Amino acid sequence: MTGTEFEDLVASLCRRDGCTDVRRVGGANDNGADVVGSLPDGRSVVIQCKRYTPTSTIASRELRDLLGAKVHFGADLAVFVTTTRFSRPSEKFALQHGILAVHRDHFGLWNNGASLLSLSEVNGRGQGDSRHQARWKRAYGK
């Protein structure tokens, strides 16, 4: 899956969950956003999508960029969706600034039917149980 295909998938999951006016804006000069739209309750949302290798980690600077995009677009909610994990400082930053940080495990939940807004209940609650982490380390060596 390309980065653009990942952005399209995230946009389609937003639509599935009842979001409206969803559009992919990613690409050059995207001002830090890949998907924008309105949540079912009418609040605006800006989403950054990162399709990274499983051994990568999302750094705090990427969440700071998203916070800037939230301001630029005047969004009510900022969401960062990734196929990898967040560093501890970036996860802490997300919680401090009200960013919904959707890492690989939570993305799997969303892709399998959980709603985007239901993920806010597990925001910042770790990135896989110990068995999952052990399997991941065996598979990817980290």
Side-chain angles (χ1 to χ4, degrees), residues 2-54:
T2 67
T4 301
E5 290 169 334
F6 184 60
E7 293 167 7
D8 287 336
L9 173 60
V10 168
S12 70
L13 290 172
C14 288
R15 289 185 196 99
R16 179 204 72 193
D17 289 349
C19 295
T20 57
D21 301 321
V22 177
R23 65 190 200 290
R24 191 179 64 75
V25 295
N29 302 313
D30 63 12
N31 292 306
D34 294 316
V35 177
V36 296
S38 296
L39 297 167
D41 62 10
R43 293 180 296 153
S44 58
V45 64
V46 60
I47 304 172
Q48 177 61 254
C49 306
K50 292 293 183 189
R51 186 195 56 81
Y52 285 166
T53 62

Side-chain angles (χ1 to χ4, degrees), residues 34-77:
D34 294 316
V35 177
V36 296
S38 296
L39 297 167
D41 62 10
R43 293 180 296 153
S44 58
V45 64
V46 60
I47 304 172
Q48 177 61 254
C49 306
K50 292 293 183 189
R51 186 195 56 81
Y52 285 166
T53 62
T55 56
S56 297
T57 303
I58 302 299
S60 296
R61 66 179 143 57
E62 297 190 68
L63 285 131
R64 285 193 303 271
D65 290 346
L66 176 58
L67 192 57
K70 180 182 177 191
V71 171
H72 174 79
F73 286 94
D76 298 309
L77 177 65

Side-chain angles (χ1 to χ4, degrees), residues 129-140 142:
D129 64 23
S130 59
R131 288 180 300 162
H132 170 82
Q133 290 176 356
R135 285 191 307 271
W136 189 85
K137 285 179 182 179
R138 281 194 304 276
Y140 299 108
K142 286 197 173 194

Side-chain angles (χ1 to χ4, degrees), residues 106-124:
H106 292 161
F107 180 72
L109 293 172
W110 188 25
N111 194 38
N112 285 316
S115 72
L116 175 61
L117 291 179
S118 73
L119 297 178
S120 64
E121 297 172 21
V122 292
N123 195 27

